[in-house]
Amino acid sequence: MDLGDLFDRLRDIPRRDSEYLEQRLQELRCALDEAIRALWQKCLQRARFRLPLLVLDEAHHLKNAQTRFASLFQDQEASDGAQEVSAGPLNGVFERMLFLTATPFQLGHHELCSVLDRFGAVFWDCEAAAGGGKTDFVDKMKALRRRLDAAQEAAVRLESAWGTLRRDDLACDVEEWWAAVRTAESTESLPPAAGLVVARYRQALEAMRGAEDALHPWVIRHMKARTMVGPSGPVRRREPLPGRA
């Protein structure tokens, strides 16, 4: 390795007291930090080691592939068919990866998929990664995206159809009405708008279940119970209060 930059910084260490000593020391600290950071990156890239497991907290920070954090797992590939991208220092190091996060992915499932893509940086030539290998992993991530896209599209269609409902389409209280129509075998007796809502609901339900099945091998999600213990027994965690309630 070329240690010239670090050596030059070390030679700049002040050897005697002066009026501007603190300023010179501060500037030197910054220069040393920069030189050591570059050296550390080179050491990581050249190190040849394998570890059985990575447990990474705050994993939602990996959602943006352009950040320095995500670049640690960068795969070596061609960029725009022209420039080769060097592999990140943690690419191919770990046999298994476990990511933890308590932060919801608010902006869409593409963020979750971007985090899951970092799993592609495991060490593939080991028993833990046995199976179809990296090519199979890439294909599964593409299939997962398609399932999640379909679920989101179905949810948007349901929301759009629900927005066309009018009070005249509801025979009674909305909760009672929905409980009755969503389990009905036929929607022919319903007004067109209500029938469309039920159809869109069933399509969304099927798409959501498909997305859940696709996510199941990759994501373990903790869901809070719908009830919790109150002073006088179990109570609902959420109590909807519609309208002016």
Side-chain angles (χ1 to χ4, degrees), residues 167-180:
R167 174 56 62 181
D168 295 340
D169 298 319
L170 310 179
C172 56
D173 176 78
V174 64
E175 296 289 346
E176 297 177 5
W177 171 84
W178 179 241

Side-chain angles (χ1 to χ4, degrees), residues 173-195:
D173 176 78
V174 64
E175 296 289 346
E176 297 177 5
W177 171 84
W178 179 241
V181 300
R182 73 173 183 174
T183 57
E185 295 183 1
S186 174
T187 58
E188 294 180 358
S189 60
L190 299 174

Side-chain angles (χ1 to χ4, degrees), residues 14-217:
R15 301 180 182 179
R16 54 182 60 88
D17 196 3
S18 69
E19 181 180 356
Y20 301 101
L21 178 62
E22 286 301 322
Q23 178 181 342
R24 293 173 62 194
L25 287 175
Q26 182 62 34
E27 293 173 353
L28 178 62
R29 288 190 188 101
C30 294
L32 276 174
D33 285 345
E34 200 63 36
I36 292 175
R37 185 180 297 112
L39 177 62
W40 176 241
Q41 289 292 330
K42 292 178 182 178
C43 289
L44 279 178
Q45 290 172 351
R46 295 195 179 194
R48 295 292 179 262
F49 61 95
R50 296 283 179 263
L51 296 174
L53 175 66
L54 168 68
V55 180
L56 179 66
D57 199 7
E58 302 294 331
H60 53 275
H61 292 301
L62 293 174
K63 64 185 179 183
N64 189 345
Q66 283 70 46
T67 61
R68 180 181 296 178
F69 187 29
S71 69
L72 295 174
F73 303 91
Q74 176 68 53
D75 191 8
Q76 190 168 0
E77 58 185 8
S79 175
D80 296 333
Q83 184 179 5
E84 186 178 271
V85 178
S86 60
L90 297 183
N91 182 274
V93 172
F94 302 97
E95 296 180 5
R96 296 174 177 85
M97 293 183 181
L98 175 64
F99 293 164
L100 309 176
T101 179
T103 301
F105 294 92
Q106 301 283 12
L107 301 183
H109 60 264
H110 60 279
E111 293 183 343
L112 174 59
C113 290
S114 180
V115 172
L116 294 179
D117 283 340
R118 305 286 87 76
F119 285 149
V122 298
F123 176 57
W124 289 100
D125 296 331
C126 68
E127 184 178 353
K134 187 171 183 179
T135 301
D136 183 61
F137 169 78
V138 172
D139 291 341
K140 287 179 178 178
M141 288 297 103
K142 291 179 180 178
L144 174 61
R145 279 183 167 85
R146 289 194 294 269
R147 288 282 191 94
L148 294 175
D149 285 343
Q152 186 175 36
E153 291 169 3
V156 171
R157 288 195 295 268
L158 171 59
E159 184 178 14
S160 177
W162 191 275
T164 64
L165 283 175
R166 297 295 179 264
R167 174 56 62 181
D168 295 340
D169 298 319
L170 310 179
C172 56
D173 176 78
V174 64
E175 296 289 346
E176 297 177 5
W177 171 84
W178 179 241
V181 300
R182 73 173 183 174
T183 57
E185 295 183 1
S186 174
T187 58
E188 294 180 358
S189 60
L190 299 174
L196 179 62
V197 165
V198 174
R200 292 290 187 244
Y201 163 74
R202 291 173 178 172
Q203 294 168 2
L205 182 62
E206 182 180 358
M208 287 294 183
R209 286 176 175 171
E212 290 174 356
D213 291 341
L215 276 173
H216 188 262

